[in-house]
Amino acid sequence: MNFYREAAQIVDKLENKKGSIKSLISTIDEHRRRRTAALVIESLKYRPALLKVIETSGLLKTEKKYITSPNLAVVLVHDLLLSKGIEASDGVLKQAILRHKTRLQAEWTLLKVKKGTRSNEELAQPEDSRARFIPRYVRINTNLWTVEGALKILATQNFELREWDSRQSLVGKEFCRDQHIQDLLIFPHSQSFKDNEFYNAGKLILQDKASCFPAAVLNPPKNGAVIDATSAPGNKTSHLSALMQNTGKIYAFERDQRRFKTLQSMVAKAGCKNVEPIHADFLSVNPREERFKIVTHILLDPSCSGSGIVNRLDYLTEAEEANEGANMERLKKLSSFQLAMIKHAMKFPGLCKLVYSTCSIHPEENEHVVQQAIQSPECRSGEFKLASPSQVLPAWHRRGLTDQLGNEAESLVRCSPGEDGTNGFFVSCFVKQGSIYDVSGPNKAALKMTASGNASAGHPGIVGGDRKRKAHHDDAVMGNASYLGQEASLVQPRSPKTNSVSNKPDGVLRPKKKHRTKKKRNMNCELKSEISEFDQLGEEAIWAGIE
């Protein structure tokens, strides 16, 4: 009976919002996980109906000595009424349920009559209607495979490639290539890859289209130096690695021990040779540490409300909406943390390009955070600005909210669940003024000279040879010049010339304490406390193909 008690405990924790379905199930021993997951998910689907039957039958009142919680009754009654029976030897729990078998069956039948339903399935909770509009997205991992090779193999598995047509849904084994992300394939939402040998080998990665946007917008150059500030579970990290053709260096941070192990497993499976996983909190990192001085690109996808995620299991645990004041307080805490992450990223001396993204639809976490970042001292001293719309997925139709950020909203990207065939998402991009990425700056002629390699003086990534800025950059920027203006096409950049990146094997960062004031330490501790409950979102995203 421990199996049922364990399942009931998970449902109890879900009811008390102590984790997500996937994160809690992931704590179960691997040998029991699939069976427990099936019982938990199926019990949750029918939980409202099962609770009604349990109440009208009087089960809890009669058997309170043995059935100690409503959720224990739910998982047991589920198997009695909706499965092959209670899978346990005769014991006090099983006998307590069986004593009420006839009454429970009668109450279930009566409930179906009252609801006007004929099948058990009609008593299950309805799914989020938006989920069926999101197809199955599969990214070809070009670290281990080629697009051409993948298409040939898929054809041998009876998959049929067809031209993209937004007016016609994919059916059966049809699939097509995405119009915005070059290595992304689209399948019917019901298509499963759980047992596909190429998915299990890391050659195919399940990743929502919107989740591919941040790496595509950052689009770091070959042999570059990049930081992925919040990396786990690793899908975006592996995407960055593929865009860089597995060259250069990606410093991938994750502070949670369990999620760090997931990150390590993911990048190993995806064959990412240029990724160095680092078990540390990005906010604790000293931006002027020697090995990070060459970093020119940072991807920042921090914890958020996850309000844009249309997970096929979300509807099972949705409770009544909290009051507006509580929701706003939660968003306030999250946005404070998100802004702190952006401001910290802007302190890295070699930074030329920063992408900030969330899987939230709330302007408080998106446009509002970007606006505060623009007005921050870190942004002004670092001379950052929003990238030109031409650099941020120009072919994508949905942009930022103009009523929140005015004309600058055109530089932002939004995805709307139920309308765009993706989960809800937000992407913004900051570039250093005067760098080769500032394509909308006043020095276009000089920028073109820099891009063609004809700059006569100064640092190759900076217009005008400003010696002060030169000290804040590294030769890794040189390779980016040949890439100027090509970002909109999402074609991988041409091979640049760059110095190699030093690789320190130590997997754990130990920042120097002298760089952190008491005030900053207190702030970091407070922020960690505030966001701890949101860290589970990433685990759920692994299963949903979002992260």
Short mmCIF file of all heavy atoms in Angstrom, two decimals, residues 36 200 289 311 353 438 465 473:
data_model
loop_
_atom_site.label_atom_id
_atom_site.label_comp_id
_atom_site.label_asym_id
_atom_site.label_seq_id
_atom_site.Cartn_x
_atom_site.Cartn_y
_atom_site.Cartn_z
N THR A 36 3.69 5.42 -10.74
CA THR A 36 3.18 6.46 -9.84
C THR A 36 2.66 7.65 -10.64
O THR A 36 1.61 8.22 -10.32
CB THR A 36 4.28 6.93 -8.87
OG1 THR A 36 4.80 5.80 -8.16
CG2 THR A 36 3.74 7.94 -7.87
N ASN A 200 16.08 9.69 -28.38
CA ASN A 200 16.81 9.11 -27.24
C ASN A 200 18.31 9.25 -27.38
O ASN A 200 19.03 9.24 -26.37
CB ASN A 200 16.42 7.64 -27.07
CG ASN A 200 14.97 7.46 -26.64
OD1 ASN A 200 14.46 8.27 -25.88
ND2 ASN A 200 14.32 6.42 -27.12
N GLU A 289 35.85 38.65 -13.23
CA GLU A 289 36.72 37.49 -13.11
C GLU A 289 37.38 37.25 -14.46
O GLU A 289 36.76 37.40 -15.52
CB GLU A 289 35.92 36.26 -12.68
CG GLU A 289 36.79 35.05 -12.42
CD GLU A 289 36.01 33.87 -11.85
OE1 GLU A 289 34.98 34.11 -11.19
OE2 GLU A 289 36.44 32.73 -12.08
N ASN A 311 0.67 24.02 -20.66
CA ASN A 311 1.10 22.65 -20.43
C ASN A 311 -0.12 21.75 -20.40
O ASN A 311 -1.14 22.09 -19.83
CB ASN A 311 1.84 22.57 -19.09
CG ASN A 311 2.49 21.21 -18.88
OD1 ASN A 311 1.80 20.21 -18.77
ND2 ASN A 311 3.81 21.18 -18.83
N LYS A 353 26.04 42.02 -26.36
CA LYS A 353 24.67 41.66 -26.71
C LYS A 353 24.06 40.82 -25.60
O LYS A 353 24.67 39.85 -25.13
CB LYS A 353 24.68 40.88 -28.03
CG LYS A 353 23.32 40.73 -28.68
CD LYS A 353 23.48 40.07 -30.05
CE LYS A 353 22.16 39.98 -30.79
NZ LYS A 353 22.30 39.27 -32.08
N ASP A 438 25.18 47.44 -33.05
CA ASP A 438 24.35 48.64 -33.03
C ASP A 438 24.11 49.09 -34.47
O ASP A 438 24.61 50.12 -34.92
CB ASP A 438 25.04 49.74 -32.22
CG ASP A 438 24.19 51.00 -32.09
OD1 ASP A 438 22.99 50.93 -32.40
OD2 ASP A 438 24.75 52.03 -31.67
N GLY A 465 37.46 53.73 -32.46
CA GLY A 465 38.69 53.39 -31.75
C GLY A 465 38.74 53.89 -30.33
O GLY A 465 39.80 54.25 -29.84
N HIS A 473 36.73 44.92 -23.99
CA HIS A 473 36.38 43.89 -24.96
C HIS A 473 37.57 42.97 -25.20
O HIS A 473 38.67 43.19 -24.70
CB HIS A 473 35.91 44.52 -26.28
CG HIS A 473 34.60 45.20 -26.14
ND1 HIS A 473 34.45 46.39 -25.48
CD2 HIS A 473 33.36 44.83 -26.56
CE1 HIS A 473 33.18 46.74 -25.50
NE2 HIS A 473 32.50 45.82 -26.15
#
